[in-house]
Amino acid sequence: MVEVEQLVPKPRSRFVKVRCPDCGNVQVVFSHSSLTAKCFKCGRVLVQPRGGKALIIAEIVEFLT
Ligand SMILES: [Zn+2]
């Protein structure tokens, strides 16, 4: 997997624990995902792919290293 560093600002963590703004479900998502990540419970889109960096549309609980 090739990463374009210029498009990936800090933090460089790859996995992020997020809380769904709709149902409060907490799950771990891949912060550089090329796939859309949805909430396991309610199906809300939590991560949208944006080129090299995914857009996280949820409350970030913590960055995992
Ligand atoms: Zn949810």
Side-chain angles (χ1 to χ4, degrees), residues 25-49:
N25 176 49
V26 174
Q27 68 188 62
V28 175
V29 297
F30 187 47
S31 66
H32 294 63
S33 178
S34 58
L35 299 171
T36 299
K38 292 182 178 177
C39 173
F40 293 143
K41 268 191 181 175
C42 72
R44 180 194 169 96
V45 174
L46 301 178
V47 179
Q48 267 187 352

Side-chain angles (χ1 to χ4, degrees), residues 1-3 8 11-18 27-40 45-58 60 62-65:
M1 179 177 172
V2 178
E3 281 189 19
V8 185
R12 298 177 64 191
S13 306
R14 293 168 179 273
F15 290 95
V16 183
K17 192 181 286 184
V18 297
Q27 68 188 62
V28 175
V29 297
F30 187 47
S31 66
H32 294 63
S33 178
S34 58
L35 299 171
T36 299
K38 292 182 178 177
C39 173
F40 293 143
V45 174
L46 301 178
V47 179
Q48 267 187 352
R50 281 283 178 87
K53 181 177 184 255
L55 177 67
I56 298 174
I57 322 167
I60 295 172
E62 77 177 297
F63 291 96
L64 308 176
T65 53

